[in-house]
Amino acid sequence: MKAAFITGHGGNEVVKIQNYTLPPRAPGEVRVRVHAATLNQVDLYMRNSGAGITHQLPQILGLDASGVVEEVDAADPVLRPGQEVVIHPGVACGRCEYCERGQTVLCTRIQFLGEHRNGTFAQWIHVPATQVFPKPAHLNWAEAAALGVNHLTAWRMLFTKARLQPWETVLVFGVGGGVSLAALQLAKAVGARVIATSRDDGKLERARAQGADHVVNSHSGDVVREVMAYTDGRGADVVFENVGEAVWPLAMRSLGRGGRLVTCGATSGDQPGADLRRIFVRQLQIFGSSLGTLAEFRDMLGFVGRAGLRPVIDREYPLDALHAALDHLESGTQFGKLALRIDGH
């Protein structure tokens, strides 16, 4: 089969697109013919160094995907050949204390597609049947694939961790990125007010078109002042951020009393000031989060189907143009997801 994999670490020269032998399907696994996958920041990280992530070379890239079931155990109670599906990217061990509690995303031996095991940038993939879910019928292949990382991550952050309510205000940093844009869509879908930030006025206008109630240019504007003015001095109930050190002081000062900050990234640095006095005086809560459980994925897919929500796709590339797609992702100019069409679909 054709697949995109890294043979080492560096730049695009280590990313190869050529034939790769698919091993036999094991009992309990599903063979999925991949129609689309999307790019995530971790694809760049794996290409560049993969430091701290146990993996073997060559390594097929890609976390998320949508496609069609080609082969599955006859006794499987849910899946059948020909079914359109999406894939959850985190393969848990099923045996540790966290898995036994249903918190598969906290599994001590979890393996992520495209990181610890071969990923989705390939014509076929074998994954445990527990990772495969029916695709929302209203979505195209690229839109469906986008749900597996960004929307699942945003769902857990907003609703499991921060417990966002429809009457609340959420401040979303860096709205051009996939997970922040997913947060905007999900928060608006439940009726919350959203303040969105970006350093790009064009992205802010597109965020307005997606339903943002108020936007702030974080380069030329004063984020804290704008948040306080918009909320009549009260502050945001929830801050959603995946930037890290560069925005942390603004995030903390933008929270109202009893507010919740939830974070899933630190692209600008991971050692911000703590400001402990503000935390305990205002009784703030800080949550770390990543991806989501199988149950959260199921719930999120159901919500997306009922709400008719459609992930934003910035651009689609054929698999053979992965180098150009990686360059686009690295530029940071995208609004929404960059998708790969696998095998011409």
Side-chain angles (χ1 to χ4, degrees):
M1 67 173 183
K2 184 187 289 187
F5 51 88
I6 52 173
T7 58
H9 300 293
N12 280 342
E13 75 280 356
V14 305
V15 180
K16 308 297 182 182
I17 303 156
Q18 57 193 57
N19 286 332
Y20 189 90
T21 301
L22 182 71
R25 182 184 70 89
E29 290 186 333
V30 180
R31 178 182 296 165
V32 176
R33 185 181 185 92
V34 179
H35 282 212
T38 73
L39 276 71
N40 293 278
Q41 287 294 327
V42 74
D43 298 314
L44 290 174
Y45 185 78
M46 292 300 297
R47 181 200 68 180
N48 295 346
S49 73
I53 297 176
T54 302
H55 61 284
Q56 295 181 340
L57 298 174
Q59 167 78 57
I60 298 177
L61 296 172
L63 272 79
D64 52 37
S66 62
V68 174
V69 174
E70 282 207 345
E71 189 176 311
V72 62
D73 291 352
D76 190 280
V78 176
L79 302 173
R80 63 187 185 280
Q83 188 172 8
E84 297 182 353
V85 294
V86 291
I87 295 175
H88 184 290
V91 182
C93 74
R95 300 296 299 275
C96 70
E97 60 177 298
Y98 303 102
C99 288
E100 290 176 351
R101 297 175 192 160
Q103 290 296 319
T104 51
V105 75
L106 299 179
C107 173
T108 58
R109 293 184 290 276
I110 194 167
Q111 294 184 326
F112 292 108
L113 304 180
E115 297 182 43
H116 308 96
R117 56 190 289 160
N118 279 333
T120 58
F121 292 178
Q123 291 176 297
W124 287 273
I125 187 171
H126 291 160
V127 289
T130 52
Q131 309 301 126
V132 181
F133 293 75
K135 166 184 166 292
H138 71 289
L139 299 181
N140 63 34
W141 295 116
E143 292 168 339
L147 297 173
V149 173
N150 287 164
H151 283 73
L152 176 57
T153 299
W155 178 273
R156 179 175 175 85
M157 290 173 72
L158 288 176
F159 304 125
T160 301
K161 295 287 188 170
R163 304 177 308 282
L164 178 68
Q165 301 299 315
W167 55 84
E168 292 185 314
T169 298
V170 56
L171 169 62
V172 177
F173 279 95
V175 76
V179 69
S180 294
L181 186 54
L184 165 61
Q185 291 185 308
L186 291 169
K188 290 306 302 177
V190 300
R193 294 195 306 175
V194 177
I195 304 170
T197 82
S198 173
R199 297 170 61 89
D200 186 310
D201 286 334
K203 291 182 179 181
L204 292 176
E205 287 307 308
R206 296 182 71 176
R208 282 191 187 276
Q210 288 290 322
D213 298 280
H214 189 70
V215 298
V216 185
N217 188 308
S218 56
H219 176 67
S220 61
D222 187 323
V223 173
V224 178
R225 181 176 295 177
E226 292 266 5
V227 170
M228 292 303 169
Y230 184 73
T231 60
D232 296 322
R234 184 178 178 279
D237 300 288
V238 173
V239 168
F240 182 105
E241 82 88 20
N242 60 355
V243 180
E245 193 169 327
V247 305
W248 192 267
L250 306 178
M252 295 294 292
R253 289 162 51 209
S254 296
L255 278 171
R257 293 178 179 272
R260 294 94 72 197
L261 184 152
V262 60
T263 179
C264 70
T267 55
S268 67
D270 59 3
Q271 299 295 321
D275 198 356
L276 294 178
R277 184 177 292 118
R278 178 177 292 272
I279 292 173
F280 66 72
V281 169
R282 292 176 174 258
Q283 299 195 41
L284 306 180
Q285 300 178 72
I286 300 172
F287 298 98
S289 191
S290 62
L291 203 60
T293 66
L294 297 175
E296 288 165 335
F297 195 43
R298 179 200 62 219
D299 292 345
M300 183 270 293
L301 291 172
F303 178 84
V304 165
R306 293 189 298 273
L309 186 152
R310 305 188 79 101
V312 177
I313 304 299
D314 182 276
R315 184 171 175 182
E316 295 186 32
Y317 291 86
L319 180 60
D320 287 336
L322 176 57
H323 287 181
L326 289 168
D327 288 342
H328 191 170
L329 179 65
E330 197 165 29
S331 75
T333 58
Q334 75 278 3
F335 185 84
K337 294 294 289 181
L338 302 177
L340 290 178
R341 299 187 303 272
I342 309 296
D343 202 28
H345 291 286

